[in-house]
Structures are given as structure tokens and as C-alpha cells.
Amino acid sequence: MIRYQLKTSLLTLRYFCCLFLLFNPIHSIALFIDSKEIERQLSNSAIELNKAGHSDLQRFYAARNYQPVWLSGESESPQLKIALAFIASAEAEGLNSQDYQLQQLAQLLQHSDQSSSTATELEIRTTHAVLKLATDLSRGRFSATATDPDWHIPRADFDAAAFLQTAIHAGHLEASLQKLSPQTLNYQLLKRTLAHYQILLKNTPEWIRIPNSPSLRPGDTYPSIPLIRQRIAQAYTADGLPEFNLIPSVSQLYDTELVAAIKAFQAQHGLNTDGIIGKNTTNALNIPLEWKIRQLRINMERLRWLPRNLGQRHLLVNTAGFYLTAIENDEPVLNMRIIVGRDYRSTPSFNGTLSHMVLNPYWNVPASIARKDLLPKQQQDPTYFTTAGFKVYPAQERGAQAIDPGMIDWHELNKRFPYFLRQDPGSHNALGKIKFMFSNPFSIYLHDTPSKSLFKKDIRTFSSGCIRLEKPFELATFALNQPSLPEKFSADLESDKTITTHLPKPLPIYLVYITAWADEHEKVYFYPDIYDRDLRALRHARW
């Protein structure tokens, strides 16, 4: 922690020193840059750049006959000030300003009146930094698939050279640069929280740690209660929730005021608001501010990977937060809890289009689930398949007659499972009364479930990869774009017949893994890194 704070302090000092040099120059730039000098430096690769960066610069300057943008002989260049301010803003977006040569630009600026070569290098490097940052803000600093191999949502294309050319020509450079990062309320609130946390980290030398203890319930007395009060006081400084504003006390009683604060803290961290300070709540209390800052940064990066337009009506499934949100005209109209894949069958991040629903579905059991999950149950209880409504078929003969489970010696089977299982519709069916289908290479869909009690759990990783829904019929209403379920739909449900219902219009759906999230009430939530994807992504980013 001390090493991180020292590093942060040094970076912050260097950052503000650069800002001072950039916006308070000791002299004015009044040097004319010749277009031939720009062309010469680019043609001779006098400035070392990567291949993609050099190509963008060539296209950009060739389109304007190598005329300078930032240094054109004026005593004060408003364009240059806009560009440098934009580059300095990288820190506020959770990025590193040194990746965009902020310090080097400050040094070049100080000596740019000494030679045309130095001034030209400032011109070219400023353009390169603007193009690079523009690209990173519009579609992410890192490759999504390299940073998170479980992320399969394509990133949008972005031509930074064409964008910058258009913005300059139209005379709205500053406004265009400001709109590059996601303008959603969610992203902007994470950005604001990041700035606040970074300041707080410098002023908070140590984040209180709560020792392990038995589960604490309202009314209990325990020695760690005063420490928990202090930790909640820190949370009030960080997040400002009114429930966190406790009256200072050294009492060891877990009283009603602290219970209300803990419930608010549990809600903020995606936990059941039962007021019980158990293992998950203690773990959340012990997350240091340093980690939350890293969490904010990597999730802002994930939001930059997403398309800017998700659709007028769409579904957003956050597997990390165990929530599904139906959105219409940028407003959430339906929220529900979900159950996602176990850690070894983790639900990937991808997008698709919801096309139809199946009422009273059969469950065609994947072979791996049949062998790993269901076979042990049948081996333990010879009546399991029959009682749960499973039919057994030869694996290679789907049109064959069902086999009597009692005729098979299930204990002889282990790695080899030469059968196909299908569960009939009914009260025991694992898919419940309805499933929602959309094409994807992972054979994942959304569905109802008879196991309603699991929605009360904190960490809801119980499925085999598909998404179980808390409110499937409310989702059906949204998918049909109706105020309520049509009478025929309800009658079809009650018929127990397997019926396919197509949506009047395909509905975009995005399955994402976002562990830091802000809602329409301007509250920021932090969710457990259930699949360790934050950790993996942060290691890749070296953040």
C-alpha cells in the first residue's frame, strides 16, 4: 500500500508539473513550421513511432498537404492549448498520461522556439498523442480479447485521422474531443468517483481492516464493532451515503444505527441486505481503496469497449452484478436478479439478438452436464431420472424410443456416457415455464427456474452457463413490448404444451462483466470479482 501511495504521489506531482508547463509557458511560441519539414520528418521516420501510429500520421498530414495544425506562426495557439488539455485529461479517464507523452510534450514546448526541428517534433508528437488518445477513448486502450479472453463483443471501428481532420475543419475541435469517451451516466459517474477516490487515497494513509469473526447479528456485542464503525465512517468520506454518517461511539453493541449502515453497505456491494456481518460482508469491508480505484479504471475500460449505441430497447445482463436490466430510451424499466454460471462454467461476455421464446420447454441436457451433474444423482437414487421427468435415449439415435432407466446399470458408467437425456416440461423442469432464445456460439439462453430460493444468495453462481431469471414473465412482457402478457400467451403457458412465440421485433442483448457500476440514482456499486477477470485484466494492463 505504501509503495502504491508513493508511486501515486510521484505520478501526481509529475502530472501537475506537466500541466504547469503546458498551460503556463515561460514564453510564447512564434515559430513558423514549414510543411516540407513535417513531410521530411515523417518520411525519414525521424520520430520513432509504432507502425499504426506512423500510418495514421501520414494519412492525416497528407490529407492537409503537410500543413501544421498546432504551430502555425501565431503567438498563441488556441488549437495547441485544446490539444494539450485533452492529452492531460487522460488521467481523469482512468488512463496514464505518460502513455500519451505528456511529460515529453511539456519539455518540447519549453524548447520549441529554439529550432524548427524541435517545433516540428512538438507538432507531430502532439498530433500522434491526440490520435492515440482519441482512439483509446472511443474504443478502449487495450484489445478487449487480449485483456479479457472471455469478452466476445466486437469493438467499433474508429478512424482517428478522419475524425480529427473533420473536427478541425468544422471548427469544433474541443467539443468533439470531449464527446469521445462514453457519455452515459454510468461512465460519467464512475469517472467522477475515480477522481474523488484518487484524492481521498492521498489523504487516507491506511484503510481499516476488520478481523475475522463469527457472523454478527443485530443486537450482538463483539469487540470488532468499534472498528466496523470506524470503517463505515471511512465509507462515508468515500461515498457520502447518509446511512454511513454514524455518531462516533466506542460501544461494542451492534445497534440499529449500525445495522442500517451495514444494510446500505451490503446493497452497495451487491450483497443481501440482511444486516448480518458474515464472511462476504467482512470481505467487502476489507476491500482497500487502492483496489476500488483499480476496479473503477478497468471497468471504465470495459465500458469503452462497448458500442456507443446499444439500441433504443435492449437488455443488459451484468454477470458480475447478478442483475438483468431492461432499458428503453436510455431508462431502466425492469430490473431483476439472475443466476449465472459456476466459476468452472463461467458465463462469457457477448452480445446477440433475442428472437423468440419457448413456452413449457423441454430441456435437452448437454452431454457434459448429464455426465458430471446428473449421473451422480441417478447413481445415488435409482428413481431420480424418472421422478424428475427425464427421458433416456441412445446418444447417437435421437429418433429412437426412450429407454427404461431401470434397465441400465448406471454404476458402470463414469467417463463414458452413451445416452442423451431430455427433461419433459413440468414443475421439475430445470428451465421452468419459459426460455428466451438468441443465437450465439455458446448455446446460452435465458430461462425461468423452479429453484427460486437461490435468488436470495449473495453470490449466485449456480448455473451451467445459462442465465436463470428472477422475473421471467415480466421479461416476456418487455420482450413482447406489451403493457401486460396477452391472453393467448397466458393460455399457452397454462396448456403445458411446448409452444414457440416469436418476438414482434428482435431485441438486442448484451452479456457483460462489470464489477463497478452506477445506476440512475447516481449510486456507485462494487461487485465481487467472481471469475477473477478484473485481476486478469489488470495484470494485462499493468495497472
Side-chain angles (χ1 to χ4, degrees):
M1 172 68 79
I2 295 174
R3 183 184 300 172
Y4 177 84
Q5 291 173 341
L6 179 60
K7 179 181 177 183
T8 302
S9 299
L10 290 174
L11 289 176
T12 303
L13 178 62
R14 185 170 66 181
Y15 169 65
F16 283 109
C17 286
C18 289
L19 291 185
F20 178 81
L21 291 174
L22 291 173
F23 303 118
N24 296 278
I26 59 175
H27 60 276
S28 296
I29 302 169
L31 184 67
F32 179 76
I33 298 178
D34 184 75
S35 59
K36 292 183 179 179
E37 178 65 14
I38 294 176
E39 185 175 8
R40 184 192 67 78
Q41 289 202 23
L42 288 175
S43 299
N44 297 338
S45 299
I47 301 175
E48 293 185 4
L49 300 169
N50 61 41
K51 186 175 180 181
H54 192 270
S55 174
D56 284 346
L57 281 171
Q58 283 281 16
R59 287 193 302 112
F60 176 78
Y61 279 107
R64 54 186 296 111
N65 294 319
Y66 296 93
Q67 293 299 315
V69 179
W70 321 111
L71 305 176
S72 56
E74 299 176 10
S75 60
E76 294 290 343
S77 173
Q79 300 281 63
L80 179 60
K81 288 184 177 181
I82 292 170
L84 295 178
F86 173 63
I87 297 164
S89 74
E91 300 284 339
E93 304 288 349
L95 300 170
N96 294 326
S97 60
Q98 57 263 38
D99 288 341
Y100 309 97
Q101 302 180 327
L102 181 65
Q103 188 176 21
Q104 187 172 3
L105 291 174
Q107 293 171 349
L108 287 170
L109 180 61
Q110 290 301 102
H111 302 95
S112 57
D113 63 342
Q114 296 179 9
S115 71
S116 61
S117 177
T118 302
T120 301
E121 184 176 355
L122 173 61
E123 163 76 26
I124 294 174
R125 287 195 180 277
T126 299
T127 305
H128 176 254
V130 169
L131 293 174
K132 181 174 173 53
L133 180 54
T135 300
D136 293 350
L137 289 178
S138 67
R139 63 193 307 262
R141 169 73 178 84
F142 302 100
S143 162
T145 53
T147 308
D148 182 356
D150 292 300
W151 186 281
H152 304 276
I153 302 173
R155 293 191 297 166
D157 292 329
F158 180 74
D159 188 334
F163 159 83
L164 184 57
Q165 205 75 261
T166 300
I168 293 170
H169 181 74
H172 48 58
L173 175 63
E174 186 171 16
S176 297
L177 294 174
Q178 289 175 349
K179 293 178 181 178
L180 280 167
S181 62
Q183 299 301 298
T184 60
L185 178 63
N186 181 30
Y187 183 91
Q188 295 301 321
L189 287 174
L190 294 189
K191 178 179 174 179
R192 187 176 73 185
T193 303
L194 174 65
H196 175 58
Y197 280 10
Q198 287 173 328
I199 294 172
L200 186 61
L201 182 63
K202 291 190 296 181
N203 301 322
T204 308
E206 189 173 350
W207 208 244
I208 292 171
R209 185 168 183 83
I210 309 302
N212 292 329
S213 68
S215 292
L216 303 177
R217 288 173 167 77
D220 286 351
T221 300
Y222 202 77
S224 63
I225 291 297
L227 271 181
I228 294 173
R229 289 181 181 277
Q230 294 178 46
R231 175 64 182 83
I232 292 296
Q234 287 183 323
Y236 179 67
T237 304
D239 303 306
L241 296 182
E243 295 90 344
F244 295 167
N245 190 14
L246 301 179
I247 298 172
S249 172
V250 294
S251 171
Q252 296 185 3
L253 175 66
Y254 186 18
D255 60 19
T256 55
E257 184 187 36
L258 182 57
V259 170
I262 289 296
K263 286 183 176 180
F265 184 86
Q266 289 171 329
Q268 185 193 24
H269 291 80
L271 304 173
N272 284 329
T273 55
D274 53 14
I276 299 173
I277 305 175
K279 178 182 177 181
N280 291 333
T281 300
T282 301
N283 288 342
L285 286 166
N286 284 331
I287 297 173
L289 193 62
E290 171 199 354
W291 175 260
K292 287 191 172 182
I293 287 173
R294 298 175 72 197
Q295 203 172 2
L296 286 166
R297 293 181 67 192
I298 203 63
N299 283 286
M300 289 170 68
E301 173 72 358
R302 287 191 179 108
L303 293 177
R304 290 190 287 263
W305 293 342
L306 285 172
R308 290 295 185 267
N309 183 8
L310 301 181
Q312 182 184 7
R313 303 179 80 251
H314 66 272
L315 303 179
L316 193 65
V317 180
N318 187 359
T319 56
F322 306 109
Y323 259 87
L324 178 149
T325 303
I327 298 171
E328 186 168 10
N329 297 322
D330 296 326
E331 295 291 334
V333 296
L334 174 65
N335 290 290
M336 71 182 73
R337 295 185 175 201
I338 61 173
I339 292 169
V340 303
R342 301 177 181 92
D343 54 356
Y344 60 91
R345 290 177 181 157
S346 63
T347 305
S349 298
F350 64 99
N351 64 310
T353 305
L354 211 67
S355 58
H356 61 282
M357 299 174 285
V358 180
L359 312 185
N360 304 307
Y362 288 92
W363 181 31
N364 297 316
V365 183
S368 62
I369 296 176
R371 179 172 56 83
K372 294 178 181 179
D373 298 349
L374 302 184
L375 175 59
K377 295 181 180 180
Q378 176 67 15
Q379 289 172 333
Q380 185 176 3
D381 176 8
T383 68
Y384 173 74
F385 282 162
T386 302
T387 303
F390 287 100
K391 294 286 196 312
V392 182
Y393 299 91
Q396 305 302 324
E397 303 176 38
R398 297 296 175 90
Q401 293 293 318
I403 303 171
D404 181 357
M407 303 297 293
I408 301 171
D409 186 349
W410 298 103
H411 291 280
E412 286 189 349
L413 303 179
N414 190 4
K415 294 183 178 180
R416 189 178 66 89
F417 192 83
Y419 301 103
F420 166 69
L421 299 181
R422 188 177 76 172
Q423 190 177 33
D424 292 334
S427 59
H428 294 292
N429 188 283
L431 307 185
K433 296 286 288 182
I434 183 172
K435 68 176 180 178
F436 300 80
M437 303 300 294
F438 53 102
S439 60
N440 64 86
F442 309 103
S443 300
I444 287 177
Y445 46 84
L446 317 179
H447 64 88
D448 183 19
T449 176
S451 305
K452 304 297 185 184
S453 62
L454 294 179
F455 290 109
K456 297 179 182 179
K457 302 289 185 179
D458 284 339
I459 307 299
R460 296 187 289 278
T461 51
F462 302 110
S463 84
S464 298
C466 291
I467 307 296
R468 304 182 198 175
L469 304 169
E470 180 187 27
K471 304 174 184 177
F473 303 116
E474 286 89 337
L475 180 57
T477 303
F478 179 82
L480 292 170
N481 201 11
Q482 297 285 339
S484 61
L485 287 177
E487 289 185 11
K488 183 180 185 308
F489 187 95
S490 300
D492 288 341
L493 270 177
E494 296 301 321
S495 73
D496 290 333
K497 295 179 180 178
T498 302
I499 298 172
T500 298
T501 299
H502 291 275
L503 303 188
K505 187 176 180 180
L507 184 63
I509 179 171
Y510 298 85
L511 283 77
V512 298
Y513 186 85
I514 306 289
T515 61
W517 188 261
D519 67 7
E520 67 276 15
H521 304 297
E522 300 193 8
K523 290 184 177 180
V524 177
Y525 298 85
F526 294 92
Y527 302 121
D529 186 18
I530 54 172
Y531 297 147
D532 288 333
R533 292 181 190 169
D534 277 358
L535 190 60
R536 182 175 61 188
L538 285 165
R539 284 173 177 167
H540 178 86
R542 297 183 180 179
W543 284 353

